[in-house]
């Protein structure tokens, strides 16, 4: 049954979302729908508004225009300065797990404490429950024995896995990953892609993954978007997007300097 037929709103709907900083238009009338339990990869050159888009999804930034519907609720309408709105915003935000681009771990806490942190902040779980849940999350990211280690004792790839464990600590409905493989070597990136697929398969969460890596998009996405100069150039099922002849898309996939995306 389609989502529309079931009456359940999609995980995310952006409806003509625009955001500018001063005269710099970063998002220009972006509209898209993310289905439940899909993996959407948003590609785009650096500085094109991908992280701004993620921040709009969780209400960390408010668009100037448009609606941001998360499970049917308009996040863009909520004003964090107003107590009632703020409460609602926090409730919605708890349905997200976030792996930020610069999402550092707390270096003075063990891996286990890092993963437990959101549970201590947002739940009333007992210590025993927290410990069991931390073990479960670390096992899921392939680090069953890491709880008592400190982040400094781990490789970059392992730290990313811990960040993933922390992002799924509250068993969110939607996981947002901002360039999860940036700064990692190709093999580590590939294992991270496998991890996303595995978490998706076993936990059935919806993933929104920001990337500038077309190989990653091919491998994990069922839906691909390309953002360039604030416009959603293309958006749709992976096979369809890969077949598309849109010049910006071709340029991006062919890693060419020649095309509509200009960096200088
Ligand atoms: N809080 C902010 N204030 C002013 N400009 C911002 C802010 N956040 C982002 N920008 C600008 O918006 C543009 C897009 O940024 P970003 O979404 O981080 O790009 P990327 O696609 O690389 O993630 C950049 O030019 C950035 O400088
Ligand atoms: Mg970014």
């Amino acid at each position: 049954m389609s989502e529309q037929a079931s009456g359940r709103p999609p995980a995310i709907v952006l409806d003509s979302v625009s955001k500018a900083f001063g005269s710099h238009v970063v998002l220009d009338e972006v509209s898209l729908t993310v289905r439940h339990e899909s993996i959407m990869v948003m590609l785009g050159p650096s500085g094109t508004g991908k992280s701004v888009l993620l921040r709009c999804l969780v209400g960390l930034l408010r668009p100037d225009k448009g609606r941001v519907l998360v499970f049917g609720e308009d996040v863009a309408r909520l004003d964090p300065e107003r107590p009632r709105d703020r409460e609602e915003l926090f409730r919605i935000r708890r349905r997200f797990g976030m792996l930020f681009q610069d999402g550092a771990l707390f270096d003075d806490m063990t891996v286990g404490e890092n993963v437990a942190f959101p549970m201590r902040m947002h739940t009333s779980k007992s210590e025993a429950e927290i410990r069991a849940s931390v073990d479960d999350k670390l096992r899921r990211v392939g680090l069953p024995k890491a709880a008592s280690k400190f982040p400094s004792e781990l490789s970059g790839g392992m730290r990313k896995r811990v960040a993933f464990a922390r992002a799924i600590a509250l068993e969110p409905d939607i996981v947002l990953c901002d360039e999860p493989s940036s700064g990692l070597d190709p093999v580590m990136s590939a294992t991270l892609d496998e991890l996303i697929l595995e978490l998706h398969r076993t936990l059935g969460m919806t993933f929104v993954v920001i990337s500038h890596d077309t190989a990653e998009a091919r491998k994990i996405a069922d839906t691909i978007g390309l953002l360039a100069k604030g416009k959603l150039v293309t958006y749709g099922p992976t096979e369809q997007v890969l077949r598309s002849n849109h010049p910006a898309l071709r340029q991006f996939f062919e890693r060419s300097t020649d095309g509509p995306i200009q960096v200088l």
Side-chain angles (χ1 to χ4, degrees):
M1 190 162 52
S2 77
E3 264 157 25
Q4 215 152 23
S6 73
R8 181 162 81 142
I12 297 168
V13 176
L14 298 189
D15 175 18
S16 295
V17 169
S18 296
K19 175 78 187 169
F21 296 104
S23 60
H24 180 192
V25 177
V26 175
L27 298 175
D28 191 3
E29 304 265 330
V30 173
S31 296
L32 57 82
T33 297
V34 180
R35 288 178 297 106
H36 284 278
E37 298 183 18
S38 66
I39 302 182
M40 189 273 268
V41 174
M42 184 62 79
L43 294 165
S46 296
T48 202
K50 303 185 297 300
S51 295
V52 167
L53 187 81
L54 274 201
R55 286 176 182 275
C56 287
L57 289 184
V58 288
L60 288 171
L61 275 176
R62 283 181 90 186
D64 306 322
K65 248 185 71 205
R67 296 188 305 157
V68 178
L69 304 177
V70 177
F71 304 111
E73 287 189 82
D74 189 0
V75 176
R77 158 187 84 67
L78 300 173
D79 177 357
E81 303 293 318
R82 288 218 305 263
R84 274 191 57 194
D85 283 8
R86 193 159 58 225
E87 225 168 89
E88 204 168 330
L89 200 55
F90 285 163
R91 195 173 47 72
I92 296 172
R93 227 177 254 169
R94 273 192 51 179
R95 302 188 70 172
F96 285 99
M98 289 177 257
L99 192 76
F100 284 114
Q101 198 165 1
D102 46 8
L105 299 172
F106 305 114
D107 286 328
D108 55 346
M109 286 185 196
T110 63
V111 162
E113 288 302 316
N114 266 281
V115 179
F117 188 78
M119 301 179 202
R120 295 198 202 290
M121 290 286 286
H122 296 289
T123 73
S124 49
K125 280 185 196 287
S126 69
E127 273 311 300
E129 285 168 327
I130 290 178
R131 216 167 312 126
S133 186
V134 166
D135 286 347
D136 171 58
K137 302 301 173 289
L138 286 174
R139 196 174 40 74
R140 288 184 187 280
V141 301
L143 294 173
K145 299 197 179 82
S148 59
K149 292 201 161 45
F150 281 91
S152 59
E153 299 176 78
L154 304 178
S155 70
M158 286 160 96
R159 283 202 295 272
K160 270 279 159 73
R161 283 172 184 268
V162 177
F164 253 110
R166 193 173 63 185
I168 61 168
L170 299 178
E171 295 171 11
D173 297 302
I174 306 175
V175 184
L176 306 179
C177 310
D178 198 350
E179 307 214 13
S181 54
S182 76
L184 298 182
D185 68 52
V187 175
M188 264 187 200
S189 306
T191 63
L192 217 60
D193 292 341
E194 308 267 338
L195 176 62
I196 292 175
L197 288 172
E198 172 74 9
L199 292 175
H200 178 257
R201 193 176 60 75
T202 53
L203 299 173
M205 295 159 169
T206 304
F207 279 78
V208 174
V209 180
I210 303 290
S211 180
H212 54 240
D213 182 350
T214 53
E216 178 168 56
R218 272 178 210 276
K219 184 159 172 188
I220 67 172
D222 55 60
T223 308
I224 293 181
L226 174 65
L227 203 60
K229 293 187 189 157
K231 291 269 189 201
L232 191 60
V233 170
T234 184
Y235 188 77
T238 299
E239 320 77 63
Q240 190 182 312
V241 168
L242 291 177
R243 277 201 309 270
S244 145
N245 275 324
H246 192 286
L249 192 80
R250 293 268 65 91
Q251 181 190 3
F252 208 72
F253 273 86
E254 286 156 21
R255 306 175 71 134
S256 168
T257 53
D258 187 19
I261 301 173
Q262 293 298 325
V263 290
L264 298 175

